[in-house]
Each structure stands twice: as structure tokens, then as C-alpha cells.
Amino acid sequence: KEKEAEVDTRTKNSKKRIAVLTSGGDSQGMCAVVRAVVRAGIYLNCEVFGCYEGYSGLVQGGKLLKKLEWGDVRGWLSLGGTLIGTARCMEFREREGRLSAAKNMILRGIDALVVCGGDGSLTGADLFRSEWPDLVKELVTNGTFTDKQVEPYRNLTIVGLVGSIDNDMAMTDHTIGAFSSLERICEMVDFIDSTAASHSRAFVVEVMGRNCGWLALMAGICCGADYIFIPERPAKAESWKQSLKEICLRHRAKGRRKTTVIVAEGAIDDNLQKITSENVEECLVEMGLDTRITQLGHVQRGGTAVAFDRFLATVQGVEAVKAVLENTPSTPSPMIGILNNRVVRRPLMEAVKLTKSVATAISEKRFDDAMGLRDSTFKEYYSNFLSISQGDDNQNLLPESKRLKVAIIHVGAPTAALNAATRAAVLYLLSKGHEAYGIQNGFTGLIRHGAIRPLSWIDVEEWHNLGGSELGTNRSLPSLDMGAVAYHMQANHIQGLIVIGGFEGYQAVKELRDAREQYPILSMPIVCLPSTVSNNVPGTEYSIGSDTCLNVLVNYCDAVKQSASSSRRRVFVIEVQGGNCGYIAAFCGLVTGALAVYTPEVKVNLKSIQEDMDLLEKSYANDHGDERSGKIFIRNEKASKVYTTELVANIIKEAAHGRFESRTAIPGHVQQGKIPSSMDRISAVRFAIKACQFIEEDNEETAAKITNADFFKAEKDLRYTYKHGKKLEIAKGQNAVLCSIQGTSVCFKDIEKVWNEHTDVVGRKGLDMH
Ligand code: ATP
């Protein structure tokens, strides 16, 4: 009776009530989704109910449908799994169960549901929505409610979020949890690596993924695996054993002391017969290798979410609430996805249908279709994996005339992705018959010591998970002695250069380009591959290394927050790197749940500080006696000359009048990261290979121009270049470029243009970074 009275009191003007549930297999980031939906809901004037234990919460109602307040989800960003529970609920598959779910929702005045789960959970949600009007009618006919009571709830709004470690959903580039799971796999395989190398053993590592090989493929790339088995590109039934043996033996013959094979749980051969870890083990044992199997199992779902998943869960959770408020009865239920780094809404059932079609394609042996149905970069990553793992088979060598000498140099402060990128570039170059050279200790090393040496397969093959710079890096620029730089390039017959670095790397490429008049050897293709923790290189959305930095900060801030929460009312002001660019500070604030963020882009003044102090007071007031909730402020190292980290902490102390206290924390160089994150590893590989391909293509174009006499007649502005030791004239090319990463796409931008049009030279960042 009491509950019915509540139904009676609600009108169309009452606050919108939304339920949020997590369903199916858990994934890291689900807690962060619930937090974002609850807080965005409250912010947008809604009431949000946590539906506990997946769909069971709806079916059973009662205590399993509980209103959540702002403070209830405090700290959930840094928690793994899902605190509202998840389940596979059989009752919800039956109409009876869904009728009960509709009743429980109407009892609480809820007519919107945000579901975070896999394709099964989203299918169930859409079915529920399509049945809803009939379910409501039935609840009236069977006397549960009156017409008047159900009047405000004639339609159900459904919004789907994809929480899945498999990254198997179509129409989104990434699912919430996939990168965290990949990170867990990388951590585990790194651990296994050291023991494998000690005993010269082979390890077969089995990872999750029934119909989807994303985790296995990416793990193969990140962990420098010799071989992978994935369902979308099955191994040939008659020949896989032979091929596996050949590849592993070849690597051993080159000096590798360990063998790593990654097997997706759904691995099959091209006759659709299952390939198990035991099958692979047998084969490796036949080769005489001491072999072990490691099934990673639920470790892959464990631990806290990485920075990217926290970000994804947060922005998608907010978008889900907006979608609830904007959806009309005629709009198809949306699924929130991310495409090309932009949050998007896509028709949920179309995405589910497309996802299911991959399994169908595999079962019908249409493997090319299955590959094509995966996200836009899947095929490319597969080809990248082949280049760097099996490309040493001399099957893809270019003709002598097309082989190049390409040098790689690290410039600026180290980042965790430098070695992974260099390794990928070297392995790719060698696979095509090019020669790879490493310049040691940046431009200083080249200028002072002519430090440049050829790099072989075995030199780099262990670099996939090493932070820092094996080549050595520093901040010096080629202008230190451009003549010496040109001399060493010429003396070593270098025909292409990859500069991996941050703003200094970018500036170095600009200087080299400008020096071409004087030193024609520098007309060679030169690519800047952006790599910096600050993510401040103009003209690119992303620089490799910044994700590792964010993850280091996430762990650091979690620890600091925990410490702050253990003491009574303590606020930490954490100073992060980034130079004049607030990217790291802003992202760190978003993914750690900071109370305030100070960046150079947004002016800090007395007024803004006062507002933050007010917010802090309010936040403590909202804690309802929970005095142990730690708060953090994030301050970029150059946010303000006046309001230093120390001063902000002192202001907090002063404003508190003893009610709470403050501390500072400065992670410093730890932010460069010790081990590259999984996202940085796969990006490093992809972008390094792209850079090599740019150099190859530029060489092709130049060769085409050289043979085209008319081209030279038409061009006035001629330059010189050196090809295979001969001096040749070529036209002024735009082949000094920045590898520009925009979401999942990569393009090469003329360095001159980016420098002139998009660079804040004094601020050492892009003009459009705010
Ligand atoms: P994962 O990818 O981890 O398997 P999932 O969401 O696909 O996640 P499922 O077990 O397929 O996991 O679905 C989770 C729950 O969603 C089911 O237990 C059930 O309650 C509900 N559900 C799934 N499919 C349907 C359906 N067709 N009709 C009604 N409910 C469904």
C-alpha cells in the first residue's frame, strides 16, 4: 500500500528516475560507469537508482533497487569489478520475469534504464523496451496498477553501454574494460617472460575471447609473442604446426632464449576445429622445448581500471544520461560507443546484429569478412603483428633498388614508449630488407661522437616492454651543429630518418627541414613520431608515452587518496608534469576524481581559488559525517607562477581553520613510467610502422619523379637528394612530416605547415590546445 501511494504521488513533472545496472560478465570500469551515471543524473536533475545483481534487481525489486546519492559512489572510479553486482539472470529471459521487472520499476517511478554489459544484456534491454507497452497494459488488466498510475510510464527508455573485456562489440572502437584486461595480460606475460628466459622455456598463454581475438592479437603485439592463435584468422589445419615450429626455431636460432605463444580461448583452425593450449604445447614439446601452459583466466577481469577505461566509463556514462533525457519513443535505443576518439550514439540493435554476424562469418568460414567486421584497425594490427613477429622469414624483401638505410633517433625527455616504437620500426624495416640504424644519445651523440650503429633483430627484440631509452636521449637539437649532422647522415648513406620525441623532436624535424637549402642530404624523408608524457606536440591528438604517464598518475593518485582517506579530513595537492600543456592535469583530474584541476590554459586567480575552497567546504558538508573521504587537487607544474603547489596547500589549510588539513605530493620523474602501458605499446608499434611506410612511399614517389623528365621541366624549385650514393635532383617535397594521430586515424602533416599554422612556439604546444 505504501508503495502504491508512492506511485500515486508521482506526476509527469516529478524528477526523471533512471535505473542503472551492470549485467553479464564483469569488466573493469563498470564501477566507474555507475558513478558517472549517478553523478551526471543528479547533476542533470534526475534521481538515479542502482539496480543490484544485474536484471535480478529489476525482477526481484525490494532492496535490490536502491536510490543512490552523490556520496554513495565516492571512490568508485578506482575500484575494479562492479559494486552493484552483476549476474546472468534466467528469469529475465522469460516474459514473466520481465513483467515483474516492469512492475518493480513502475512502483518506484522509474521509466529509464541504463544497462552496462555485453551483447546479451543489451539484447535483453531492447526486448524489454519493445515489450514494455504490453507489459504495462497487462499490469493494468491484472489489477496491479490503475490506468492513472501507469499514465506517466507508457514508454521505457533504454541506453546501452558496452562493458566487456573482449572488445567484441561492433560500432565502437573500444569497450569498457578491454584495455584494463589487456594491461593485466601484459603484466602477467611480462612476469612469465623473466622466468621463461631464465630457463630458456616456451610458454603457451591462454587468454579470454570466445569469438573475438582482440585480446590475443593485442597481447601478441604488446608482449613480443612469436605466434598467436585467434578465431578470426584461423591457422591452416594442415600446416600450422609446421609453421609454428619454423618460426619459433628461427627465433631461437637468432638468439632468443624464450618462446611465447598466445592462444585465444576460441582459437580454431580453418576447418573450425578447436586449437587448444594443449595442442600448441604438444607441438612445442615435439620441437624439444621445455613448455608450460598458463591459463590467465579471471585475472584478466581483475584489478582496477586503467586510465583509458576510467575515461571511457566516465564520458560514456555522462553521455548515457544525456541520451536518456533526449531520447523520444520513436528513436531506436542507443548504444554509447567511441569512434575515432569521439563519443557517439549508435542504434543498439544494429550494433548487436553486426557483432553477432562475426560469429556467423567465422562459423561459415568467411574469415576475411570476420576480420573486416572488427573495428577499423583490427586488420592493420594483424598485419603489424605479422611484420614484427614473423617478418624475419625473408618472404617480404623488397628488390635491392628499393632498400633503404633508415636511422632512428630519440630526442627530448624519455617516455615509456620510445623503445617499443624503435623495436617495431627496426623489425619492420628488416622484414622488408632495409637497414636500420640507431643514433645514440640524441643529436649530441651524433654530433660529438658520430654515434650511429646498425641495429639487428636480436638487438631490439626484447625492447617491447622496456621503459626509458635504450638508444639514449637528450634535449639537444640538430642546430647544435647542423653541418656535423649532415656529415654523419651522408657518411652513413642514411636515406630516411625517424625522430621519436616530444616538442624537441618536433622542433628538430623543423630545423632539419629548414637546413635543406644548405645541406641537400637532409632532403631525405624525415618523420617526427610524437612521444611525450605531456601530449603537447602540435598537430596531433595523441603522443605515445602519455597513456603510460596517465596510468602512473592514476596509481599514484589512488595511493595518495587512500592515504588521505585514512586520516581525518585531509586534502592533497598533487603537482603533475605537462609543461605549459594542461592535458595530463586535466585528464588525470577526470580519471582520478579530483576536486579541482589547475592548468596553464585556464587562468588561476583569487576568485577561482575561492570558488574551489567553497566547493571543498560543500564537499565536506555533503559527506554527512564521513570525515575520512580524501580529496585531491591536481595542479599542473606551470599552472601559475603565483599559486604554487605549496601556496595552494597553505591556502586550503588557512581556509580550513583547523577543520581539515592539507599536504602536497609531487610524483616528478616517476611520471615517465617504468614499463609502457598496453595502449602505448600497441600505438607505438602501429605508428612506428606507419612512419616506416611513409619513408618507403616517399622513396617510391621520388623514384617515380626521377624517371619522369617532364616533372623536372615543370618544377622550378629543384633540390638535391642522395639515392644509393648518387646525387639526384628532386622537387621541393613535403617529406619532413609529423605523424599526426587523430583518434584511430593517422596521417602525415607537413612539418612546415603545422609549425607555421598550429604552433605556439613560446608555449611549446599547439595553438588550439585548450
Ligand atoms: P558477456 O559478454 O560477458 O557474456 P553478456 O551481456 O553478453 O555479457 P549474457 O549472459 O548473454 O552476457 O547476458 C546477461 C544477461 O542479460 C542474461 O543473464 C539475461 O538476464 C539478459 N539477457 C541476455 N539475453 C537476453 C534475451 N535475449 N532476452 C532477455 N534477457 C536477456
Side-chain angles (χ1 to χ4, degrees), residues 81 102 239 270 353 459 527 562 591 609 619 656 659 708 734 767:
S239 59
D270 57 357
K353 216 167 116 194
D459 285 337
V527 183
Q562 189 181 54
V591 298
I609 297 251
S619 175
R659 282 163 304 148
N708 180 355
Q734 292 179 343
L767 283 173

Side-chain angles (χ1 to χ4, degrees), residues 14 22 76 122 144 164 190 275 308 314 358 377 423 432 532 538 652:
S14 301
T22 50
W76 284 29
L122 303 192
T144 309
S164 163
D190 286 353
I275 297 181
F308 180 75
T314 303
V358 183
T377 55
R423 169 182 182 268
K432 303 294 284 293
T532 156
I652 292 172

Side-chain angles (χ1 to χ4, degrees), residues 288-355:
L289 292 177
D290 182 8
T291 308
R292 299 286 190 275
I293 296 177
T294 300
Q295 263 169 341
L296 291 183
H298 286 79
V299 159
Q300 295 162 85
R301 294 189 189 276
T304 65
V306 294
F308 180 75
D309 278 332
R310 296 183 190 201
F311 159 74
L312 202 56
T314 303
V315 293
Q316 292 194 339
V318 173
E319 184 69 8
V321 175
K322 286 185 186 162
V324 162
L325 297 176
E326 287 164 20
N327 239 43
T328 66
S330 58
T331 356
S333 302
M335 176 197 87
I336 310 298
I338 186 159
L339 290 172
N340 237 342
N341 221 13
R342 303 283 177 272
V343 176
V344 293
R345 296 177 199 175
R346 291 288 178 268
L348 185 152
M349 281 322 284
E350 265 183 52
V352 170
K353 216 167 116 194
L354 211 56
T355 304

